[in-house]
Amino acid sequence: MRDRSTTVDAVRAAARPLAGVDDLDPLLERIGDARFVLLGEASHGTAEFYRWRAELTKRLITERGFSFVAVEGDWPDCHRLHCCLAGAPGQPDDPEEVLRSFDRWPRWMWANEEVADFARWLRGFNAQRFADVPVGFHGLDVYSLWDSLRAVLAYLREHEPDHVDAALEAMRCFDPYGEDPQAYGYARAIVPSGCEDDVVRMLAQLRGGADETPLPGLDARFVARQNAEIVAEAERYYREMVRGGSASWNVRDCHMTDTLDRLAEVYGPESKAVVWEHNTHIGDARATDMAAAGMVNVGQLVRERHAGDGVVAVGFGSHRGTVTAADFWGAPPRHMRVPEARRGSTEALLHEAVPDRNAVFVFGGPDSDGGWASEVSDHRAIGVVYRPDAERLGNYVPTVLSRRYDAFVHCDYTTALTPLHPLEHEPVPREAETYPSGH
């Protein structure tokens, strides 16, 4: 292992300044012709992560022809936003109106000013494309069990009334749990008979014939089928959640990757996707201690499934600042202090090399000195639940940075993002807590 001063010098030499959008050029060069670009964040409440991710995405859309953005959000909520951004009839002119309707905790993840600014830009961009397919905005997550079930029922009532009974049976099966997925999970652990058979019947009817004729776009049947897939995977997710272990995490990340694949298929073989998720999802799990725990994630699965298409993962991190997060699951969010990074961590090393600066690091290029980035070091991860005073006990993931990501964005000092709703008025509806710390 090199001495500290040599390592710091190597990091300083590898750093590329990041002050304006033109400074994203090294990332664009690294991305090249990749079809899948995975953009992370070290927290769900940091303004700089959202802003730089949005600026890079704008360039990917305008300069490289990327087709859609897929995010760690609920499909039904994000589909309403997609319709607004695509200029569908009857949609609000301002996407902020749609974002304000997001009501599942933690709604500040998407109902914030930073996302609203990007959404306004994307709506304006799509409005200039005329006959072209609009650039999409879609949710990948598995949490919207009841919203998705209601959406399937509404679609079947309007378009396929002969299949309504299967959806009604599934809904009646879930009804006793009062839209409390944790209650369903615990009940299934005690009484083995659950709603799985009803959900499978409903899903089979929507899958039937879907592969015979390629879907022309995000039509109503595709949206309904996606909602049915969510119901099926959510039922599995909550069943596994109460058993503990890595299975529920794997159900979720496999579902998100499957959804990404379905979107790539429906947008066509030349389509390109940008993914916005936490570092814990987009950074390859095999470069962390997640692999030893039996966990996979989106970053690993996309690399495995699409090696020939080109996959580039970009991680984000910071040394200190503030963040929007909650004290416990379901609590109102607040702005919290992010203390200086733990000694010996990746973030502490980058701060020492480039103090008070933003910087881009690209791994694997001709000018890359991969020594410091190929060693295991602690890498900070902040969830929607955050306890700054307890950082010494957690919030760090042992990571080989250059294996987990293809590039990394370091923002030395970061600030909390701005929710669209007053912080003290975060709504009650929420899903059960997930490991680790709600990432």
Side-chain angles (χ1 to χ4, degrees), residues 285-333:
R286 294 169 294 183
T288 75
D289 62 350
M290 296 168 67
M295 300 166 73
V296 298
N297 68 357
V298 172
Q300 173 184 341
L301 294 169
V302 175
R303 278 180 170 178
E304 290 174 341
R305 296 182 187 183
H306 298 284
D309 294 323
V311 180
V312 172
V314 182
F316 286 69
S318 69
H319 174 60
R320 70 200 190 286
T322 58
V323 67
T324 302
D327 292 301
F328 55 88
W329 196 262

Side-chain angles (χ1 to χ4, degrees), residues 6 15 55 148 201 252 259 287 316 425:
T6 302
E55 292 301 331
S148 291
R201 278 194 294 273
R252 183 185 176 205
T259 299
F316 286 69
H425 292 151

Side-chain angles (χ1 to χ4, degrees), residues 97-111:
E97 187 175 333
V98 181
L99 288 166
R100 284 183 176 275
S101 71
F102 284 31
D103 62 2
R104 185 179 67 77
W105 193 95
R107 65 178 177 179
W108 75 85
M109 273 182 61
W110 302 111

Side-chain angles (χ1 to χ4, degrees), residues 55-359:
E55 292 301 331
L56 179 55
T57 301
K58 290 176 187 178
R59 292 194 61 182
L60 291 173
I61 290 169
T62 57
E63 299 175 30
R64 301 293 174 84
F66 273 65
S67 313
F68 63 92
V69 181
V71 307
E72 188 182 339
D74 292 345
W75 175 270
D77 286 342
C78 292
H79 184 64
R80 292 199 310 274
L81 183 60
H82 165 75
C83 291
C84 172
L85 304 184
Q91 297 299 314
D93 292 332
D94 188 350
E96 181 176 320
E97 187 175 333
V98 181
L99 288 166
R100 284 183 176 275
S101 71
F102 284 31
D103 62 2
R104 185 179 67 77
W105 193 95
R107 65 178 177 179
W108 75 85
M109 273 182 61
W110 302 111
N112 60 66
E113 291 187 1
E114 290 75 12
V115 172
D117 287 344
F118 174 78
R120 292 189 189 100
W121 176 87
L122 186 53
R123 179 177 165 87
F125 178 82
N126 281 334
Q128 299 172 12
R129 289 168 67 86
F130 302 107
D132 291 346
V133 175
V135 174
F137 190 97
H138 308 293
L140 298 176
D141 227 327
V142 75
Y143 288 135
S144 58
L145 193 159
W146 274 270
D147 284 346
S148 291
L149 188 51
R150 283 189 286 265
V152 171
L153 182 58
Y155 167 81
L156 292 175
R157 280 174 168 160
E158 181 176 357
H159 299 282
E160 301 180 32
D162 291 345
H163 294 160
V164 165
D165 286 348
L168 285 173
E169 284 300 315
M171 184 165 282
R172 279 193 286 266
C173 184
F174 285 112
D175 268 348
Y177 306 102
E179 302 201 16
D180 182 346
Q182 201 160 12
Y184 173 77
Y186 284 124
R188 183 65 192 272
I190 297 169
V191 181
S193 60
C195 302
E196 182 179 6
D197 291 344
D198 295 316
V199 170
V200 168
R201 278 194 294 273
M202 178 185 72
L203 180 57
Q205 291 179 347
L206 277 167
R207 281 176 171 168
D211 295 329
E212 297 174 8
T213 304
L215 293 165
L218 281 174
D219 60 14
R221 197 171 203 279
F222 177 86
V223 174
R225 178 191 165 183
Q226 177 57 29
N227 277 306
E229 299 280 0
I230 291 166
V231 174
E233 293 305 310
E235 192 276 338
R236 284 186 61 209
Y237 175 84
Y238 293 116
R239 193 167 10 112
E240 296 290 352
M241 181 191 67
V242 299
R243 297 175 182 171
S246 61
S248 62
W249 172 277
N250 290 346
V251 167
R252 183 185 176 205
D253 274 53
C254 287
H255 168 80
M256 290 195 286
T257 310
D258 291 344
T259 299
L260 179 63
D261 286 348
R262 283 190 288 271
L263 285 165
E265 180 181 4
V266 79
Y267 273 92
E270 302 302 317
S271 63
K272 296 182 178 182
V274 183
V275 177
W276 291 2
E277 294 198 341
H278 197 280
N279 288 341
T280 315
H281 294 295
I282 67 93
D284 195 320
R286 294 169 294 183
T288 75
D289 62 350
M290 296 168 67
M295 300 166 73
V296 298
N297 68 357
V298 172
Q300 173 184 341
L301 294 169
V302 175
R303 278 180 170 178
E304 290 174 341
R305 296 182 187 183
H306 298 284
D309 294 323
V311 180
V312 172
V314 182
F316 286 69
S318 69
H319 174 60
R320 70 200 190 286
T322 58
V323 67
T324 302
D327 292 301
F328 55 88
W329 196 262
R334 63 184 181 89
H335 292 334
M336 300 182 184
R337 180 184 64 89
V338 178
E340 292 186 354
R342 176 190 294 174
R343 185 176 181 180
S345 66
T346 294
E347 290 77 7
L349 172 62
L350 301 186
H351 169 72
E352 186 175 353
V354 286
D356 304 316
R357 288 170 51 194
N358 297 338

